Amino acid sequence: MPPGALPHALDPRDWSPADRFVAVALLAVVLAPLVAVITAISHDWAPNGDDATIALRTAGVLDGHLPLTGMRSTAGDGEDVSLSTHHLGPLQFYLLALPLALTGGTAAGIAIGGALIAAVASALTVVWARRLGGTLGVGVFTSGLLLAQWAIGAEAMFRPLNPYAPLLPTYLALLLLWALVRGDHRALPAFVVVVSLLAQSNLAFLPLAAVLTLAAVAVAVRPPRDQPRARVTRAHRRSRRWAIGLGVLVWLPSLLELLVHHPNNLRQFVRWATSGSGDPIGVVAGLEHLSLLAPVPGGFRHYSQDLLTTGTSTGTVLGLVVLLLLAAISTGWRVPRGRASSAWPARVALVANLGMVATASRLPEWPAAPYWVITWLPVAAFTWAALVWRGLAYLESASPRLPGRIAMPLAGGLVVGGLAASVLAVQPDWSESRSMSTVARTTVSGMGPGEGRAVRIRGYGFVPTLGAAPAIAWEAHRAGWEPHYLSSWPFEEDAEYLWTATAPEGSDELFVIDSTEPEFRGSVPGTAREVSTVDLAHRDGTISVYREPGPAARPGQ
């Protein structure tokens, strides 16, 4: 190769029309994550609430506090402390650690890490769509992916909130399962990683992760009749070794946790799952959420806090019709001759939707967090793409290779779709983020550099505890303090270094008060002095922070 020459695959001059089409599709699917993270950085976004806890747990990876468990779960919360459980793994923390390190530990690193997860999953979706269905497959399934990006919103493509990380990887997982059905062993390593991220991110996602895993195992043990058992080659063995190696790697922290903590998280999960706690709504009520499969008002829509409450009976009926249609297609009913494989995406979609029905049936009567069913949005988008794919099988002229007169206009349409997914998606409430960041930065600026000293941060009330205190902890960590802000957990966990109870004697103390909850003002010691009071940009009221320096604090601090 001459000096300065590009490899064949990277040199646009050597690309075929199909290569150019795929390149444009790749551009289209990374637009929304790219725009989301650029917008976040331009708004000087910084983590607060659970985002800040995830950022601090990720920073712990760089500081030597290697996490073995995921975020705390609300399982058993408020019912029985003996059922306290974590989500199943810390994979997301490790994925975010490298971008955080490369950006010097800044908030931008966390946002870039979240966008990278979304962008890589989106790009791999295009790659696998081409492998499975040529440029026609790219057109159909990239359109579904762009619809999923529009639905989940800009926040889900950069914020580290743990329910957001596996959303676009879930769409990819469905394509990878289709590839495994087709006998493509190359899909196995990636499938292991994305399903592991889904399973570890939130306990509510376990039914979907479980059904996808069981389907993959069933395919491996008993290949479909239209895909005869292939001879095991060296490439097959290499893919299996990679899958096993990556599987062990991404689950290693959770496996080590079984030996480190007493009781371990697996035992706590089983204890919670078998306790009979809560009051699940059941399958019949769960089926009402099939409205998310229907493209009608009250059906498929943007992710919002009322995702579980604004469905309509019309949407539910249409969603049930879509599910029954998937079931009919999955039987191979009226498949055109020679195109039996066209039904497989619908079969994958049916499996995924059954997993979501299982999730919905386990929702409690109250309160139910809308993000517990957020994965239904990418599943629904894949479902429609699968139905379109099945319908195209009836067109005799349909071919995996799109003719140029169709490919290039479609490529332009995909770019327009990528821009629409960026611009028309629901945008974050920047005023709320700005309020929490201002509280945190003003407070830490008044405290000065930490130089390794500890600070205990106590929030009183809803927003101070769940929003402002973690934001202050993040900024304090950035300024060299050792923050302690988490409430104590009833059992051992690997975040004890963040507990308020583990702060050394004589630590500085911060007290965070919301003016709309004056009843907590009496919790502030009379000797504490005010270090910041910030008017909230997103609602009425102020957040005030008071500081009581420890005896080791320098004069004037």
Side-chain angles (χ1 to χ4, degrees), residues 313-388:
S313 57
T314 300
T316 297
V317 171
L318 291 177
L320 184 59
V321 169
V322 171
L323 190 66
L324 293 176
L325 181 60
L326 286 175
I329 292 174
S330 297
T331 65
W333 174 62
R334 297 182 66 85
V335 174
R337 179 176 297 180
R339 298 188 175 187
S341 62
S342 64
W344 275 108
R347 290 166 181 163
V348 170
L350 177 63
V351 168
N353 278 287
L354 292 178
M356 292 311 306
V357 170
T359 298
S361 68
R362 295 297 303 169
L363 293 174
E365 289 284 355
W366 185 90
Y371 59 74
W372 289 344
V373 295
I374 192 174
T375 48
W376 220 328
L377 298 178
V379 167
F382 182 88
T383 297
W384 295 343
L387 292 175
V388 170

Side-chain angles (χ1 to χ4, degrees), residues 4-358:
L6 289 170
H8 172 78
L10 299 179
D11 190 343
R13 294 170 299 180
D14 296 329
W15 288 354
S16 67
D19 293 332
R20 295 189 180 94
F21 178 80
V22 171
V24 174
L26 287 170
L27 171 64
V29 299
V30 300
L31 281 175
L34 182 62
V35 170
V37 71
I38 290 175
T39 305
I41 293 173
S42 68
H43 280 83
D44 201 19
W45 174 86
N48 66 84
D50 280 357
D51 287 353
T53 297
I54 292 171
L56 285 165
R57 298 289 304 279
T58 300
V61 175
L62 308 179
D63 296 338
H65 298 288
L66 300 181
L68 300 179
T69 59
M71 289 284 284
R72 293 175 176 181
S73 169
T74 55
D77 186 31
E79 296 182 12
D80 185 347
V81 295
S82 69
L83 303 179
S84 299
T85 309
H86 289 80
H87 300 302
L88 293 189
L91 176 56
Q92 183 189 9
F93 305 149
Y94 289 98
L95 292 177
L96 295 175
L98 181 59
L100 182 63
L102 292 177
T103 56
T106 64
I110 292 294
I112 290 171
L116 278 174
I117 292 174
V120 170
S122 298
L124 289 177
T125 294
V126 174
V127 171
W128 282 100
R130 183 183 189 181
R131 289 179 176 176
L132 290 163
T135 50
L136 179 62
V138 172
V140 171
F141 289 95
T142 296
S143 299
L145 176 66
L146 295 176
L147 185 62
Q149 290 181 349
W150 169 84
I152 65 177
E155 281 191 335
M157 284 182 279
F158 78 88
R159 275 186 58 190
L161 189 67
N162 54 300
Y164 291 164
L167 294 181
L168 298 180
T170 293
Y171 191 97
L172 172 61
L174 302 182
L175 271 175
L176 294 173
L177 180 56
W178 177 21
L180 292 175
V181 171
R182 289 274 302 272
D184 191 343
H185 57 87
R186 296 171 297 179
L188 187 57
F191 180 82
V192 167
V193 174
V194 296
V195 173
S196 296
L197 179 61
L198 177 65
Q200 292 188 22
S201 294
N202 197 287
L203 294 179
F205 300 164
L206 278 180
L208 178 57
V211 298
L212 295 181
T213 302
L214 289 175
V217 171
V219 167
V221 173
R222 188 183 179 90
R225 285 177 294 179
D226 58 352
Q227 295 293 331
R229 188 183 298 273
R231 184 173 61 89
V232 178
T233 64
R234 180 179 299 178
H236 282 77
R237 295 191 185 96
R238 184 167 56 249
S239 294
R240 290 178 182 177
R241 286 195 296 268
W242 270 103
I244 293 171
L246 288 171
V248 171
L249 183 63
V250 299
W251 286 99
L252 183 59
S254 300
L255 294 173
L256 291 176
E257 194 272 340
L258 299 178
L259 306 175
V260 172
H261 293 154
H262 305 282
N264 59 57
N265 195 48
L266 178 59
R267 179 179 176 183
Q268 286 301 107
F269 170 72
V270 172
R271 181 181 293 174
W272 164 74
T274 59
S275 66
S277 62
D279 188 16
I281 61 177
V283 175
V284 174
L287 289 173
E288 294 180 4
H289 297 297
L290 282 171
S291 60
L292 291 173
L293 287 178
V296 296
F300 184 85
R301 56 196 180 276
H302 286 299
Y303 171 71
S304 63
Q305 291 302 309
D306 60 359
L307 192 68
L308 289 170
T309 58
T310 57
T312 62
S313 57
T314 300
T316 297
V317 171
L318 291 177
L320 184 59
V321 169
V322 171
L323 190 66
L324 293 176
L325 181 60
L326 286 175
I329 292 174
S330 297
T331 65
W333 174 62
R334 297 182 66 85
V335 174
R337 179 176 297 180
R339 298 188 175 187
S341 62
S342 64
W344 275 108
R347 290 166 181 163
V348 170
L350 177 63
V351 168
N353 278 287
L354 292 178
M356 292 311 306
V357 170

